[in-house]
Amino acid sequence: MALRTEAEEWLRTKGTDQWSDPETGEKAITKWRASIDEGRAWVVVGEHDRVLATVSRGPVDRDFWRDADRPESALYLYKLIVAREASGRHLGTRVIDWMCRLAALEGRTWVRIDTWRTNTELHAYYERLRFRHVRTEEPSHRRSGWLAQRPVGELVMPDAPLLISPTAEPHTDAGARSEVPAQRGQRAGQP
């Protein structure tokens, strides 16, 4: 949650209205907490056990994606947040590549996102990371709706994978790490 708070403050300095509405913000935080409780959220931990980034996956958002989009063909990426102290290290890029690897292992074709409709800087960021704009949806009860997807095989930094530990415990043995994302109750490298 500290990453979210930091991101909200940073977004205000960028002149965007993203995450500024208390009503939609509270709904988003409630959904995010559910993804954490359900084991669909990950964190990137750096030196001294500092959380540097987070990302979540979730079900298809039917406010945006239609049956014609073949929703089962994609992994839906949510809540990618990188700590300001880790800015400039390509951590967001590596997290997205990591999610692409997970999607490929599951036999999916796409990683999909929806972002705030008015945050054009964020749209440009994702387009630099090989996401292609699909369309913009504008349901009256949502501020998100800029939809994009990226083929799972289009890794931006294939030679710099994030390594994961299968538990919350830090590991010193390099053999205990994998570049394959583990789900709750699953050891790294196991299907």
Side-chain angles (χ1 to χ4, degrees):
M1 290 299 154
L3 283 179
R4 167 76 187 225
T5 301
E6 180 186 58
E8 288 173 4
E9 292 169 6
W10 179 72
L11 285 167
R12 277 192 286 278
T13 70
K14 303 293 282 176
T16 178
D17 64 347
Q18 183 171 339
W19 293 351
S20 62
D21 180 54
E23 183 181 338
T24 58
E26 188 54 41
K27 288 178 187 174
I29 288 172
T30 299
K31 284 172 44 176
W32 190 25
R33 286 187 178 166
S35 70
I36 293 167
D37 292 344
E38 294 166 8
R40 296 183 287 111
W42 292 272
V43 294
V44 176
V45 179
E47 292 181 30
H48 310 293
D49 293 330
R50 293 189 52 85
V51 175
L52 299 178
T54 185
V55 68
S56 299
R57 70 174 301 170
V60 60
D61 190 325
R62 288 305 193 155
D63 281 345
F64 304 132
W65 299 99
R66 307 171 187 151
D67 287 342
D69 296 316
R70 295 187 49 241
E72 71 286 350
S73 69
L75 181 147
Y76 296 87
L77 184 149
Y78 298 103
K79 303 293 184 274
L80 173 61
I81 304 172
V82 176
R84 294 293 82 219
E85 73 178 83
S87 179
R89 296 188 210 169
H90 305 287
L91 191 52
T93 303
R94 294 172 67 206
V95 168
I96 293 168
D97 280 357
W98 184 77
M99 293 297 276
C100 283
R101 285 182 171 97
L102 174 59
L105 286 171
E106 293 177 355
R108 299 180 191 274
T109 306
W110 307 101
V111 169
R112 289 184 175 152
I113 57 171
D114 67 84
T115 68
W116 210 255
R117 291 189 301 259
T118 59
N119 192 339
T120 56
E121 274 189 55
L122 186 58
H123 306 164
Y125 169 77
Y126 281 116
E127 286 174 331
R128 284 191 305 274
L129 297 180
R130 302 184 185 154
F131 279 87
R132 294 177 190 105
H133 181 239
V134 174
R135 67 180 169 274
T136 301
E137 297 285 344
E138 298 189 29
S140 60
H141 63 289
R142 302 287 295 274
R143 292 197 174 180
S144 193
W146 186 85
L147 308 180
Q149 62 188 15
R150 179 172 124 178
V152 298
E154 288 192 21
L155 303 179
V156 175
M157 299 182 73
D159 297 327
L162 286 177
L163 301 179
I164 63 125
S165 296
T167 67
E169 304 283 322
H171 291 279
T172 55
D173 176 11
R177 293 179 180 257
S178 168
E179 64 183 68
V180 177
Q183 300 280 316
R184 179 176 279 175
Q186 171 189 32
R187 295 186 51 88
Q190 293 181 339

